[in-house]
Amino acid sequence: LIPGGKCLPCECNNNIDITDRNSCDEKTGACLYCLNNTAGSNCERCDDWYYGDAIVLKNCHACECDKNGTEI
């Protein structure tokens, strides 16, 4: 915390364990350990090889594709 500054909650779209102090970088606010098969600095997208809505529906499902023959 910068003197005179204030603490802000990490904006991880409710895709982190808020009881785990290591889930979010306390200096930058970056989300470090996204849950629910999500990824991104704000856990705002589905992780690689998953699809769906990471923010509202929180329904990231595994793709049914051949990882050896498919790009992300």
Side-chain angles (χ1 to χ4, degrees), residues 24-51:
C24 177
D25 187 301
E26 57 189 42
K27 290 186 174 47
T28 66
C31 307
L32 303 175
Y33 298 108
C34 299
L35 301 175
N36 308 316
N37 302 313
T38 61
S41 60
N42 297 105
C43 301
E44 74 280 4
R45 63 178 175 81
C46 292
D47 204 358
D48 291 345
W49 304 107
Y50 289 83
Y51 71 97

Side-chain angles (χ1 to χ4, degrees), residues 49 51 61-66:
W49 304 107
Y51 71 97
H61 301 283
C63 295
E64 295 180 16
C65 53
D66 182 351

Side-chain angles (χ1 to χ4, degrees), residues 54-68:
I55 298 174
V56 177
L57 298 177
K58 299 188 185 335
N59 64 352
C60 295
H61 301 283
C63 295
E64 295 180 16
C65 53
D66 182 351
K67 292 182 182 178
N68 292 324

